[in-house]
Amino acid sequence: MIDFNSICKKWQKKWEDAEIFKVNEDPKKKKYYVLEMYPYPSGSGLHMGHARNYVLGDSCARYKRMRGFNVLYPMGYDSFGLPAENAAIKAKSHPKIFTEKAIETFIRQQKELGLSYDWSRSLACHKPDYYKWDQWIFLKMYAQGLAYKRKAAVNFCPECNTVLANEQVIGGKCWRHENTDVEIKELNQWFFKITEYADELLRDIDKLQWSEDVKMMQRNWIGRSEGTLMWFDIRGSDRKITVFTTRPDTFYGITYLVYAPEHPDVLELVKGTKYEEEVKKFVRKVILEDRFTRTAEDKEKEGMFIGRYAINPITKEEIPIYIANFVLYEYGTGAIIAVPAHDQRDFEFAKKFNIPIKVVINPDGYELNPERMSRAYMGDGNMTNSDDFNGMFNRDAIEDIAKFLEKHGHGKKTVQYKLRDWLISRQRFWGAPIPIIYCDKCGIVPVLEEDLPVILPDDVVFEEAENPLKHYEKFLNVKCPKCGATGQRETDTMDTFVDSSWYFLRYCDAKNDKQPFDPRKANYWMPIDQYIGGREHACGHLIYFRFFTKFLRDLGLLNFGEPALRLFNQGMLHKDGVVMSKSKGNVVIPEEVSKKYGIDTARLFLMFVSSPGKDMEWSDDGVEGSFRFINKFWFTITEKKITDSKSSKEVSKLHKTVKEVTEFFEGFEFNRAIMSLMQFTNYISEMDEISNESASALVRMLAPFTPHICEELWKFLGNKNFVSLEKWPEYDEKLIDEEAEASDVLVDRTRADIVHVMNLLKIKKAEKIKLITSIKWKYVFMEIMKKELENTRDVKSIIGVCMKNPELKKHGQEISKLVPAVLKDPRKIPETVLSEEREFEELVSVKEKLSKFFGADVAVVRAEESKEKKAEVALPGKPAIVIS
RNA sequence: GCGAGGGUUGCAGAGCCUGGUCAAAUGCGCAGGACUUAAGAUCCUGUCCCUUAGUGGGUCCGUGGGUUCGAAUCCCAUCCCUCGCACCA
């Protein structure tokens, strides 16, 4: 057994020593940037699920490298974040310790996978030389008003005395205190004004070669809708209620208005009225108890009248104002017009509270009766009850009524986005500090660029969940850059998604200490040609990094606006039917497989079983299969005689394989590439000798998948260079000869026939077989020296195998060469096989002799062309069968 | 509900875009055989049904229709599954 393991180690070391994957900008070469989303270095290390992702990128990078591209393929670590901090709190230690240990493990594991990263560009965002530039970018945004602070409602756990991320709120309770309700607190928070780019982010989606579902998710997330703002006076108040609607055509059907319960105007409007107490109660209930369930569609509609009326500016009618749980404060203006006749939600609510229903759109052909409607009519139709707009098609009225309201100062056409500004404040220690100083005199003062980075202290003590920066004087107290008085630092840190929004740019120039990256270098390498990562980031990272790219472009640092034109979402790796993950307890770690088979086997399996975009099931048996293949491949190259000569068929097959594999690589169909390579390997493994060209091409084509073994075999073939840096084999379409391959069919059939006959006759290894091809008669005969006949007479039993295919004539020569090769199993037929031409007549005469000897035919003759020569068939011990 | 992607022969998973060469690749599993004292490994053969020495025939790619000389492949309808988004005004 080959020690694949030490082969892996050996080549990993050689790659590292020779720094063969290190790259520099080279304007003369075409660049290619392959990138996997950088991982959070979790303490538990990486498992096969991660490995699949990296091997995918690695295979791609290796392929592109061999295609002559200047390939940038880096790796780094998303090393800020909660798990390390929590581990630190638990152990009263420092997150840095956990993080750096985890990174070490990751690097070791990734190196063991044989990934061809340019390690010299590696980065980790918890290091000051990285987060310094987070802070720098923050300052740039701040200067442009794109980073700003405002009050926002956030989740707060009174037990922990800290703000929680959404993921830390489970069913309205704190994740650590399952009996503690999470409170919603209005806190001053930092935001990035991503909405400034909403429109461009939406428009540019069309430029991206991403999967449709991710693009659609982003479109939904950005959620652009064109509509109209309207405002109504409120009787007895100088406030107005402003609503957003996409259906101004239903304006005359408004029978009530609704505020979202948390809308700040609500409490103002009920202050001092008899409604105040009840409204407060309702608001509290909705905000606290129903916070996580109220958005469910099947949620019962609840609400109440708040004792106020708005005035319809056109009809002057009084319109009652409600609050209701189905109106969202975050969307639009946090208040809506309700048209129960034409909106199902409004309808249900109106029914429940006995609010009138007014029809303003009738479907073609009949009139709706509001008394008898069982649900809202949401379709199109003709306007009614709408003054001058009566009779108009409602779609046209959308535009006209909007204009009408705008003209009279009651409304305004507008575009609304669902996308919210990005809340980046985190009341946590383990993140990039927000570079802001609060000065009693000067207010909010940004840290000066030359004072960056604002460093996260190493000597803080973690004792509670609360951010230790809050009590760390040395960090906290700082001179105001403006006036010199003592100010206080912001203790909030940035969301870790800030780090990941530009790390791909830092790879282009990872060591730069003057700027986040040299624009020339970034403009050379970027955009990312192939980005690889999970689709779960569709509405997070994958929007943020587009936003950052556009911002940095507008800052003049980049000459493009999209970070990654091609995105590939790899599938999940399953085991026992569920996603492989630590929490499910079904992880397989690369080391396990590696120890047993060498890592190439695992790599091959990961790439082989399923198309990369689909989920796949890990199977230990399947790994065995990959291992078998690798062995076969190994022995085919190392044990076959390698020659310079080659048959035209071999050439044809080779070029066809190169073509297929190349195309499959381009299409990211790695599993099919491997299938193709397996077939070719099987083909040449059946031959006596293989051509140098085939061996060389095969080793090179498998190198992206099983690089270690291929390096070894490449050396075995007499090459001095690394196969990793070799040129990808070329193919010539003209050399692909489908016709030449047709003879394969003949060979296969012949082989099947021969094996069949041997099985029937129980031919043992001691027996000698001779194959005789008769081109003229389209037969291949097997001449078998049966042991028990050896001493009797000078005769042999003869088995004839007929090729029925008339093409035999054309390919006969080849068959006579190949059939023996096909049968070459040393243990099976030791002294087989030579072939020669004989005339059929001669064979027939032998057969006759034998027939006489046995008193029956001993030959199996499969007749096809020999209609005129009826063939008799018999097996020893069996009655003769006659066929025509 | 909306959107996206799927349903293929024991399992996994190709094929579908660019209809025929598709009973449908490849791997696994299973069965038989060779080898072996035996097992393992390896190799060969088979693996929808009926029948054969070779062959031939039938059924088949979620379901039902349609287009076509011809459909796993194109069109329509329908059921189911997965994943997003989800009372977005």
Side-chain angles (χ1 to χ4, degrees):
Chain A
M1 183 153 158
I2 307 117
D3 185 359
F4 287 126
N5 233 324
S6 57
I7 290 175
C8 291
K9 291 215 173 72
K10 175 172 116 191
W11 287 100
Q12 281 164 14
K13 182 156 191 314
K14 287 193 182 216
W15 293 332
E16 196 158 348
D17 290 347
E19 298 189 322
I20 62 169
F21 302 125
K22 207 168 160 178
V23 285
N24 287 306
E25 299 75 40
D26 179 353
K28 288 191 284 295
K29 260 174 118 180
K30 271 172 84 180
K31 66 92 186 179
Y32 197 89
Y33 189 173
V34 191
L35 184 65
E36 299 123 19
M37 288 179 187
Y38 72 165
Y40 176 78
S42 105
S44 46
L46 57 86
H47 59 65
M48 278 299 173
H50 306 112
R52 185 185 183 203
N53 193 13
Y54 304 133
V55 172
L56 191 64
D58 186 55
S59 300
C60 176
R62 286 175 177 275
Y63 166 74
K64 288 291 177 182
R65 211 173 275 128
M66 293 176 80
R67 289 301 301 255
F69 287 92
N70 195 21
V71 173
L72 177 58
Y73 182 51
M75 173 49 59
Y77 302 93
D78 187 13
S79 46
F80 272 139
L82 278 176
E85 187 170 345
N86 290 333
I89 293 168
K90 211 171 161 189
K92 297 197 187 233
S93 173
H94 195 287
K96 188 174 163 183
I97 297 167
F98 288 89
T99 302
E100 298 197 336
K101 207 173 141 206
I103 290 178
E104 239 172 73
T105 308
F106 259 69
I107 292 176
R108 180 179 51 77
Q109 285 188 300
Q110 287 174 320
K111 285 188 174 171
E112 281 169 9
L113 286 170
L115 305 172
S116 59
Y117 296 127
D118 176 354
W119 287 104
S120 72
R121 293 168 181 268
S122 189
L123 59 84
C125 56
H126 75 284
K127 296 196 172 157
D129 66 355
Y130 185 85
Y131 68 71
K132 172 181 180 177
W133 303 110
D134 285 336
Q135 296 168 342
W136 185 87
I137 293 169
F138 178 96
L139 293 179
K140 293 292 175 197
M141 288 209 184
Y142 182 79
Q144 300 199 11
L146 291 171
Y148 67 94
K149 198 172 189 189
R150 72 163 158 88
K151 275 200 160 184
V154 293
N155 307 304
F156 185 86
C157 172
E159 286 289 319
C160 303
N161 195 28
T162 188
V163 165
L164 301 177
N166 281 335
E167 305 79 54
Q168 296 164 333
V169 181
I170 301 154
K173 314 279 184 186
C174 172
W175 63 327
R176 284 215 204 81
H177 306 95
E178 52 183 35
N179 295 318
T180 308
D181 283 324
V182 170
E183 294 176 4
I184 305 301
K185 273 204 170 177
E186 289 269 319
L187 286 179
N188 247 328
Q189 302 283 291
W190 284 98
F191 287 86
F192 281 162
K193 203 169 183 181
I194 191 171
T195 49
E196 187 83 8
Y197 286 89
D199 202 46
E200 195 191 343
L201 286 169
L202 181 70
R203 268 187 288 120
D204 285 356
I205 290 174
D206 295 335
K207 294 182 188 168
L208 304 173
Q209 295 170 52
W210 295 9
S211 67
E212 234 11 83
D213 59 335
V214 170
K215 293 207 277 189
M216 195 50 76
M217 279 191 241
Q218 294 212 346
R219 286 192 194 102
N220 288 341
W221 187 258
I222 295 170
R224 181 181 199 273
S225 54
E226 291 182 15
T228 303
L229 288 173
M230 304 175 182
W231 39 88
F232 298 76
D233 289 328
I234 298 172
R235 160 156 319 159
S237 167
D238 45 7
R239 284 173 196 275
K240 285 175 188 262
I241 173 169
T242 305
V243 300
F244 172 78
T245 181
T246 53
R247 296 289 306 275
D249 53 325
T250 62
F251 178 80
Y252 289 89
I254 299 170
T255 55
Y256 59 105
L257 299 173
V258 192
Y259 273 117
E262 57 271 66
H263 194 112
D265 285 359
V266 173
L267 289 178
E268 293 296 323
L269 287 169
V270 297
K271 197 170 262 176
T273 71
K274 63 172 178 174
Y275 293 94
E276 182 170 2
E277 274 317 301
E278 214 184 324
V279 166
K280 272 188 173 166
K281 214 169 115 195
F282 179 80
V283 170
R284 201 173 307 125
K285 177 185 170 318
V286 169
I287 293 178
L288 294 179
E289 290 171 30
D290 301 344
R291 179 172 162 74
F292 301 98
T293 54
R294 65 182 278 206
T295 50
E297 200 169 355
D298 51 2
K299 178 81 183 172
E300 176 70 22
K301 293 191 175 28
E302 290 168 7
M304 62 175 291
F305 178 53
I306 63 167
R308 291 283 192 168
Y309 292 89
I311 307 296
N312 183 314
I314 305 299
T315 66
K316 306 297 180 198
E317 285 167 330
E318 284 194 340
I319 314 169
I321 302 176
Y322 285 74
I323 51 177
N325 60 350
F326 68 93
V327 178
L328 306 174
Y329 180 51
E330 298 81 37
Y331 185 71
T333 62
I336 61 158
I337 54 171
V339 186
H342 305 293
D343 183 288
Q344 186 60 25
R345 295 158 300 177
D346 299 349
F347 182 85
E348 287 168 27
F349 192 80
K351 279 284 175 197
K352 186 166 173 179
F353 290 88
N354 281 316
I355 304 167
I357 295 169
K358 189 176 165 195
V359 171
V360 290
I361 298 167
N362 272 321
D364 261 346
Y366 69 94
E367 285 192 11
L368 292 167
N369 179 353
E371 305 295 319
R372 297 179 50 197
M373 288 171 78
S374 60
R375 56 190 163 85
Y377 175 67
M378 321 263 275
D380 291 326
N382 300 313
M383 303 292 293
T384 182
N385 294 325
S386 301
D387 292 354
D388 297 346
F389 302 97
N390 283 343
M392 188 181 255
F393 182 54
N394 74 298
R395 296 262 179 151
D396 300 328
I398 291 177
E399 180 72 11
D400 286 15
I401 292 184
K403 277 187 184 155
F404 171 77
L405 290 171
E406 195 160 343
K407 197 172 121 196
H408 290 84
H410 304 308
K412 188 179 184 324
K413 283 174 61 177
T414 184
V415 176
Q416 189 69 42
Y417 295 94
K418 273 199 290 184
L419 185 71
R420 307 282 86 192
D421 277 342
W422 173 15
L423 194 163
I424 59 146
S425 292
R426 292 292 178 275
Q427 287 70 40
R428 286 289 181 164
F429 171 80
W430 197 228
I434 294 174
I436 286 291
I437 293 163
Y438 300 102
C439 170
D440 285 343
K441 261 193 250 163
C442 314
I444 296 176
V445 183
V447 172
L448 297 175
E449 266 185 44
E450 56 264 37
D451 292 340
L452 294 181
V454 175
I455 293 203
L456 224 39
D458 283 344
D459 56 349
V460 290
V461 186
F462 284 85
E463 279 177 340
E464 295 171 46
E466 198 177 14
N467 184 348
L469 290 177
K470 290 205 162 202
H471 308 291
Y472 190 82
E473 302 287 324
K474 276 186 278 176
F475 178 86
L476 223 45
N477 299 324
V478 66
K479 277 206 171 100
C480 168
K482 264 193 193 159
C483 69
T486 303
Q488 280 216 317
R489 278 197 199 284
E490 169 68 82
T491 56
D492 279 2
T493 54
M494 292 185 228
D495 183 1
T496 56
F497 280 107
V498 174
D499 310 316
S500 56
S501 291
W502 68 282
Y503 74 108
F504 47 92
L505 294 164
R506 184 68 180 172
Y507 285 137
C508 299
D509 192 14
K511 299 262 167 22
N512 199 326
D513 58 359
K514 301 277 183 298
Q515 45 189 340
F517 51 86
D518 180 342
R520 279 170 309 177
K521 291 185 178 176
N523 285 330
Y524 173 77
W525 289 115
M526 290 289 293
I528 301 162
D529 293 276
Q530 183 65 63
Y531 199 29
I532 299 166
R535 52 168 61 71
E536 69 272 16
H537 292 104
C539 299
H541 165 65
L542 289 171
I543 290 185
Y544 298 144
F545 88 138
R546 296 181 58 218
F547 161 54
F548 261 54
T549 303
K550 291 176 192 303
F551 170 71
L552 294 168
R553 172 203 62 196
D554 292 345
L555 211 57
L557 293 181
L558 301 174
N559 59 13
F560 53 91
E562 281 297 336
L565 298 177
R566 263 167 62 119
L567 169 70
F568 189 85
N569 306 116
Q570 84 281 9
M572 300 279 235
L573 184 65
H574 293 226
K575 173 123 197 292
D576 311 321
V578 290
V579 175
M580 189 180 284
S581 79
K582 178 123 187 297
S583 60
K584 298 263 171 21
N586 61 350
V587 294
V588 176
I589 57 169
E591 285 94 322
E592 286 173 37
V593 181
S594 174
K595 226 184 339 188
K596 212 163 159 194
Y597 308 109
I599 200 61
D600 283 332
T601 294
R603 288 180 56 120
L604 187 76
F605 177 71
L606 287 169
M607 292 298 98
F608 167 58
V609 169
S610 155
S611 45
K614 291 190 176 164
D615 291 350
M616 69 175 266
E617 173 76 20
W618 177 268
S619 127
D620 293 331
D621 292 328
V623 177
E624 293 271 357
S626 294
F627 187 59
R628 271 200 277 280
F629 169 75
I630 284 182
N631 274 293
K632 186 181 216 169
F633 166 56
W634 177 273
F635 288 117
T636 299
I637 301 294
T638 55
E639 291 189 348
K640 297 274 171 189
K641 195 173 155 205
I642 294 179
T643 64
D644 285 333
S645 66
K646 62 225 167 197
S647 71
S648 66
K649 181 140 66 68
E650 188 186 338
V651 170
S652 167
K653 272 218 185 292
L654 173 63
H655 284 252
K656 194 174 169 191
T657 304
V658 174
K659 178 171 187 271
E660 281 177 7
V661 172
T662 304
E663 285 169 358
F664 288 146
F665 256 107
E666 293 296 333
F668 242 66
E669 297 181 283
F670 296 166
N671 57 325
R672 298 183 67 190
I674 293 171
M675 289 171 198
S676 210
L677 288 165
M678 281 181 168
Q679 280 174 30
F680 185 68
T681 306
N682 286 340
Y683 168 73
I684 63 170
S685 75
E686 285 171 346
M687 303 193 305
D688 258 343
E689 47 187 50
I690 58 179
S691 73
N692 198 23
E693 191 187 346
S694 291
S696 150
L698 184 62
V699 170
R700 278 178 290 158
M701 287 191 288
L702 269 161
F705 300 117
T706 59
H708 311 89
I709 286 170
C710 289
E711 289 287 5
E712 189 70 22
L713 290 173
W714 190 244
K715 194 176 136 203
F716 172 87
L717 290 173
N719 299 291
K720 294 272 183 293
N721 298 334
F722 289 100
V723 73
S724 300
L725 301 178
E726 272 302 323
K727 279 192 71 171
W728 188 255
E730 303 281 339
Y731 65 90
D732 182 350
E733 199 114 21
K734 288 197 287 291
L735 293 175
I736 301 173
D737 178 3
E738 301 287 348
E739 190 150 314
E741 291 191 35
S743 64
D744 261 17
V745 180
L746 293 182
V747 173
D748 277 351
R749 293 178 91 111
T750 309
R751 185 179 64 162
D753 283 347
I754 292 167
V755 170
H756 183 70
V757 168
M758 291 200 306
N759 284 340
L760 282 174
L761 294 186
K762 305 255 181 269
I763 291 168
K764 295 278 193 284
K765 73 168 181 182
E767 283 150 358
K768 295 169 192 172
I769 298 176
K770 203 170 186 181
L771 292 175
I772 303 140
T773 315
S774 164
I775 286 177
K776 184 176 167 194
W777 296 95
K778 304 180 180 65
Y779 290 110
V780 174
F781 283 84
M782 295 166 68
E783 198 178 82
I784 298 162
M785 179 68 85
K786 282 286 219 185
K787 253 205 172 140
E788 60 264 33
L789 299 180
E790 259 174 25
N791 298 323
T792 53
R793 274 207 223 166
D794 188 21
V795 281
K796 301 151 185 163
S797 65
I798 296 173
I799 313 298
V801 181
C802 171
M803 302 307 301
K804 73 169 189 176
N805 194 319
E807 295 289 303
L808 178 63
K809 194 154 192 174
K810 205 147 130 200
H811 301 294
Q813 209 59 45
E814 221 168 320
I815 284 172
S816 64
K817 212 164 82 191
L818 279 173
V819 167
V822 160
L823 284 173
K824 187 184 158 281
D825 176 349
R827 280 163 309 175
K828 197 182 216 170
I829 313 167
E831 296 174 52
T832 355
V833 186
L834 46 105
S835 72
E836 59 189 64
E837 282 297 323
R838 270 195 218 173
E839 287 307 309
F840 184 62
E841 280 83 355
E842 192 186 335
L843 293 163
V844 170
S845 77
V846 176
K847 187 176 82 112
E848 277 165 0
K849 266 199 259 173
L850 283 165
S851 302
K852 275 181 196 151
F853 178 76
F854 283 106
D857 271 345
V858 290
V860 175
V861 180
R862 301 210 321 221
E864 179 69 22
E865 294 289 301
S866 56
K867 271 182 191 153
E868 65 279 20
K869 280 185 193 294
K870 200 189 262 180
E872 289 97 319
V873 178
L875 301 174
K878 283 193 179 183
I881 306 159
V882 179
I883 323 163
S884 42

